[in-house]
Amino acid sequence: MTNLTDRTGVELLVEVGALLSASPSVAALDSALELSVVAVTAFVGGRRGELVVRPTDPTTPFPLADAPGARPPESGRPSVELPESGRPNAELPESGRPSAGRPVRVSLADAPGLMPGLPPAPEPGGHAAPVPPALTPAAGPAPLPGLPAGAPGIGAAPGLSDVQWQRLDEGRPIVDDTSLGGPAVLIPVSHGGLVTAAIRIGGVLNENAVVEHLRGSDRGEIAVGAGSLIGAAIARRASLLTEESADQHARTLLEQLGSVVVQIDTLGRIAYVNPAFTQFTGIPAADVIGQGAMDGVHPDDRQVAAEHMAETSRPGRPGSAVRDVRFRDRDGNPRWMEVQGGPLLDASGNAVGFAGTLHDVTERRQETLNANVARDRAEQARDRAERSNRAKGEFLSRMSHELRTPLNAILGFAQLLESAELSPIDADNLGQILRAGRHLLAVLNDALDVARIETGRLSLSVESVHVEPLVEEALTLMRPAAEEAALTLERPTLATTGMVARADRQRLRQVLLNLLSNAVKYNRPGGRVTVDFHPADDQGSRVAPQAANWLRITVTDTGLGIPADRLDDVFVPFERLGAERTGVEGTGLGLSLVKSLLEAMGARIGVSSVAGFGSTFQIDLPASATGPDDAVELIVAGTAPVSPDVSTSTVLYVEDNPANVTLVQRVLSKREQLNLVVAPDGPSGLRLLEELRPALVLLDVHLPGLSGDELLAAVRHHADPVLRRTPIVVVTADVSGGAEQRLRGAGADAFLAKPIDVMALLAEVDLHVR
């Protein structure tokens, strides 16, 4: 047992323990280990002490450390009592205390053994054994990890042999007979029952006697106990080194991170910010340490920031909520930061503060603000454009209706005069009236269609359509005009029959008629108009039908052609190319309307021309893999053919415009078997229908009292099944988008637009009244 009355031994253990336990860092612990080695060296009576760490792999050689110069004394170091002479006595009393000299207090930095490198050679005759020659052991010294080689007192001399380590494993001091510079005393340093290092003490007189005395007295137990304290400190040093390395790595990452990292203590004060904070705000980090977390937040956002921090700091909350908060920079300008954080916990899971990251999103916020402003402006501009288009469309629709009413009378009565016997001059005058009226009607139709497309009100029914019958129909309709202009219409010669495309049947016919009409109007006398169609690839080249993505239709004329620098203007509204050379009347809307209609159907159009030789327009329609859709015939439930009776010759005309009434009266006067009855408004029309039970009803849409739509619905839902089956032909100037489809869907048997085509009206009457 240790003799507790031995004050020197107790002081040694207390001092070594205090030094090593009070070292919070690796650097402080290294200094404490150095002083502890010096203290043990002085306790044993040596002049030079060093710590030799046991290598984990004895086969790995370690180079000898260079021996730098002596280190200057340092103040503030703990001290031990040494004899006044500064050297240990040659003889050690049984009690183990120094017996000569008066004790004095000196710094451990001045104690023997602090000279780095090898211990000095002893004076001749000072050792019981001769000084052995210098040796180079297979395993060199193993300094503490991370400690520079040659540090005073630690790992500065050669290592020990395997035999010496095995002898030290007994846990008692031994003599080192192979050290460079002479024999030395070795004190084992153990931890966890294993010898992990040794304190080599040189400059001892009669090493064998010293070791024998240490082994046989409490003094040796004290030295070995001090070695155990040092062994535990070495193990703790390894743990601290790992922790400090991890801390240093984390701090390096934080300092290099582009985002701001902030730590707030439990009192709401800033404990740490990384350098990114200064980069974003211009405020040095030292200026905000210790300040309140909300001091740098913009006054208008402090409440939001405080609520966000409180919310994410609650126990059990992941702290993943993100909030944009304004901070102030050095000049007081706001900087938007995206804040995310959560509670900072200790090893026991207790909250010890708050940690968060701040990303500067000022530019993003500004970009978002600019984008929102631009979007709002674009939406306002779009709304204005839509309102303008709607207003324009409504205006054109109203004007179209108002213009069609008098135009109906003009063209209707002019058509009636065609059958009269007129002088050549009168017949020519009548022809001029008809041409002008029809031109005005074409202007109205084109303008209304353009307005429908621009306002998105164009109603299309895209389906699978056989192209060959449509082309033949368009050629048949244009043949009279071509013969009058002495032109030849050529049908496709190599066209593939049975080709089916996706298109609106009515609008595709309108497109073909428009292109053929232009080809006739702008051709030269005796010229040709050729129509062709074939299956095509994406480039328009002819391919096999099964490999076709498109169906190409071409309309070619032999007219004057279009100059190359004017081809881009062909589809521009109101650009009438060639009108100045031909004097042909037109609106300049036809080709623009054609392009818009085709694009609305998913098709495309192009043009090529050679000035003086003619032009070719190409239409590419999406090819259809299936046959044409079955025609849908509108059948009202419960209808059946009506057997002629007394009232089958009666035609009821519901119309409030006198001119239109007069026109229809004169047109139907050609059918002497018919009895025309006129109703000036909707209610009287319904009453007369129930009383007269007519064979046919001609119905206007815009009627006083009861609209045409309402009257049509009343008839089709009438309690009398016979009246429900009454044929109804709508005759109206309302040609707005969807009007015909709406009325046919409501039960109309036919739809005739004003101005009335006399022959079309007679054809409908003859169809329903026999």
Side-chain angles (χ1 to χ4, degrees):
M1 295 295 296
T2 301
N3 185 0
L4 296 179
T5 62
D6 187 346
R7 186 170 180 276
T8 304
V10 173
E11 287 181 349
L12 173 68
L13 294 176
V14 171
E15 183 173 14
V16 170
L19 282 171
L20 298 179
S21 63
S23 303
S25 65
V26 172
L29 192 55
D30 287 343
S31 298
L33 284 169
E34 178 185 338
L35 292 174
S36 299
V37 170
V38 172
V40 174
T41 299
F43 178 76
V44 172
R47 293 184 56 83
R48 172 68 166 89
E50 60 192 2
L51 185 66
V52 182
V53 181
R54 192 172 193 171
T56 56
D57 184 5
T59 62
T60 303
F62 196 93
L64 295 178
D66 296 334
R71 186 177 59 183
E74 299 179 9
S75 61
R77 294 286 189 95
S79 62
V80 297
E81 292 186 2
L82 292 176
E84 186 179 18
S85 63
R87 295 176 56 90
N89 292 333
E91 295 181 0
L92 295 175
E94 290 297 329
S95 64
R97 296 185 179 207
S99 59
R102 178 171 56 86
V104 294
R105 303 289 295 182
V106 297
S107 171
L108 287 181
D110 299 326
L114 284 184
M115 297 294 292
L118 300 178
E123 297 177 0
H127 283 74
V131 178
L135 300 176
T136 305
L144 294 179
L147 187 70
I154 302 178
L160 305 178
S161 67
D162 290 341
V163 174
Q164 290 172 322
W165 286 117
Q166 292 170 5
R167 290 178 59 197
L168 286 171
D169 285 339
E170 298 175 1
R172 297 187 297 174
I174 65 171
V175 175
D176 175 15
D177 296 328
T178 61
S179 292
L180 298 177
V185 176
L186 298 178
I187 304 297
V189 175
S190 61
H191 177 68
L194 300 175
V195 176
T196 58
I199 301 175
R200 179 160 42 196
I201 302 172
V204 180
L205 297 179
N206 199 348
E207 294 83 3
N208 290 320
V210 170
V211 169
E212 184 179 353
H213 176 74
L214 291 174
R215 286 189 172 193
S217 67
D218 292 343
R219 203 171 184 80
E221 294 181 14
I222 292 172
V224 173
S228 296
L229 294 175
I230 293 174
I234 293 175
R236 187 160 65 90
R237 181 186 186 277
S239 177
L240 284 175
L241 186 65
T242 301
E243 294 176 2
E244 289 189 6
S245 176
D247 290 345
Q248 181 60 36
H249 180 65
R251 185 169 293 273
T252 301
L253 289 178
L254 289 176
E255 292 179 353
Q256 295 178 353
L257 198 64
S259 300
V260 177
V261 179
V262 61
Q263 179 182 343
I264 301 170
D265 61 21
T266 54
L267 298 178
R269 298 172 304 192
I270 297 176
Y272 169 80
V273 289
N274 65 339
F277 176 82
T278 302
Q279 297 175 10
F280 286 128
T281 65
I283 303 174
D287 292 352
V288 298
I289 300 298
Q291 291 186 357
M294 298 298 150
D295 291 354
V297 179
H298 193 280
D300 295 342
D301 287 358
R302 287 178 182 172
Q303 182 66 27
V304 173
E307 292 175 356
H308 177 250
M309 188 168 70
E311 178 185 356
T312 55
S313 298
R314 293 175 186 169
R317 296 297 296 269
S320 58
V322 179
R323 191 71 55 84
D324 285 358
V325 177
R326 280 172 295 178
F327 288 75
R328 292 180 299 186
D329 62 14
R330 179 177 55 190
D331 300 325
N333 299 318
R335 299 286 296 179
W336 280 99
M337 297 284 190
E338 182 184 77
V339 181
Q340 183 176 16
L344 191 63
L345 307 177
D346 61 10
S348 301
N350 300 318
V352 294
F354 180 88
T357 57
L358 287 71
H359 304 276
D360 190 299
V361 293
T362 304
E363 293 183 2
R364 188 190 71 186
R365 293 278 303 200
Q366 187 61 44
E367 291 174 357
T368 302
L369 179 61
N370 294 339
N372 290 338
V373 171
R375 183 192 61 200
D376 292 343
R377 290 176 177 172
E379 290 178 352
Q380 293 171 2
R382 183 194 62 195
D383 292 342
R384 288 194 299 269
E386 289 178 353
R387 288 195 299 270
S388 175
N389 282 335
R390 284 195 299 269
K392 179 173 64 177
E394 292 170 0
F395 171 77
L396 287 175
S397 180
R398 287 194 300 269
M399 289 302 298
S400 172
H401 183 271
E402 295 300 324
L403 289 173
R404 284 174 186 276
T405 300
L407 191 59
N408 180 56
I410 294 172
L411 290 178
F413 288 114
Q415 291 177 78
L416 289 177
L417 289 175
E418 279 186 309
S419 60
E421 293 184 3
L422 301 174
S423 65
I425 295 179
D426 290 338
D428 182 66
N429 293 338
L430 180 62
Q432 294 289 347
I433 294 172
L434 285 172
R435 280 193 297 272
R438 287 167 179 157
H439 175 68
L440 180 58
L441 180 61
V443 172
L444 285 174
N445 290 335
D446 288 349
L448 196 58
D449 280 341
V450 170
R452 289 171 184 162
I453 294 172
E454 290 180 351
T455 56
R457 296 181 180 180
L458 181 67
S459 177
L460 293 176
S461 178
V462 178
E463 57 187 355
S464 297
V465 177
H466 271 302
V467 172
E468 187 175 11
L470 271 180
V471 171
E472 186 62 37
E473 180 183 354
L475 289 172
T476 300
L477 291 173
M478 288 304 304
R479 188 162 282 109
E483 291 175 353
E484 183 179 354
L487 299 175
T488 302
L489 291 181
E490 296 183 353
R491 301 180 61 226
T493 54
L494 299 177
T496 303
T497 59
M499 285 299 302
V500 180
R502 298 289 298 174
D504 181 295
R505 182 180 284 103
Q506 180 181 352
R507 294 300 181 177
L508 179 56
R509 187 180 77 147
Q510 180 181 355
V511 166
L512 292 174
L513 288 174
N514 195 305
L515 294 178
L516 287 171
S517 176
N518 284 346
V520 169
K521 288 191 296 184
Y522 296 102
N523 216 317
R524 67 182 71 213
R528 297 187 314 277
V529 176
T530 304
V531 180
D532 190 14
F533 59 89
H534 60 265
D537 57 16
D538 290 337
Q539 286 71 43
S541 302
R542 185 186 295 268
V543 296
Q546 60 272 19
N549 296 325
W550 302 88
L551 175 62
R552 169 160 287 194
I553 303 175
T554 59
V555 178
T556 304
D557 64 67
T558 56
L560 299 178
I562 304 169
D565 59 346
R566 300 296 307 278
L567 282 176
D568 293 338
D569 300 329
V570 168
F571 301 106
V572 176
F574 305 108
E575 285 286 347
R576 299 187 56 234
L577 304 183
E580 67 281 357
R581 294 175 291 169
T582 62
V584 177
E585 294 181 346
T587 65
L589 290 174
L591 290 177
S592 174
L593 177 61
V594 163
K595 186 175 186 294
S596 298
L597 287 174
L598 289 173
E599 290 177 349
M601 291 188 288
R604 59 194 185 189
I605 186 171
V607 60
S608 59
S609 182
V610 177
F613 293 91
S615 305
T616 298
F617 287 84
Q618 307 100 15
I619 301 172
D620 288 335
L621 300 167
S624 176
T626 61
D629 297 338
D630 294 334
V632 178
E633 181 180 358
L634 180 65
I635 301 177
V636 179
T639 59
V642 181
S643 301
D645 55 24
V646 188
S647 60
T648 53
S649 60
T650 300
V651 175
L652 176 62
Y653 185 25
V654 188
E655 171 65 73
D656 63 330
N657 184 279
N660 292 337
V661 170
T662 303
L663 173 62
V664 171
Q665 286 175 335
R666 295 184 181 180
V667 170
L668 296 187
S669 64
K670 299 179 180 295
R671 300 293 186 265
E672 297 180 356
Q673 77 278 15
L674 296 181
N675 176 32
L676 181 66
V677 178
V678 177
D681 53 51
S684 61
L686 182 58
R687 178 176 55 81
L688 289 173
L689 183 141
E690 293 173 339
E691 294 177 358
L692 301 177
R693 309 174 79 82
L696 175 66
V697 175
L698 302 177
L699 179 64
D700 189 22
V701 173
H702 297 284
L703 295 170
L706 190 70
S707 70
D709 293 82
E710 294 171 332
L711 195 151
L712 178 61
V715 175
R716 291 303 179 227
H717 295 86
H718 202 280
D720 188 334
V722 175
L723 289 179
R724 285 202 303 265
R725 297 193 295 268
T726 304
I728 298 178
V729 175
V730 174
V731 183
T732 180
D734 183 2
V735 292
S736 59
E740 180 177 358
Q741 184 177 1
R742 183 188 77 249
L743 291 165
R744 284 184 177 274
D749 295 274
F751 183 92
L752 295 177
K754 296 177 182 177
I756 296 174
D757 185 320
V758 173
M759 299 308 296
L761 175 60
L762 290 174
E764 289 293 339
V765 172
D766 293 341
L767 176 65
H768 295 286
V769 182
R770 295 180 176 85

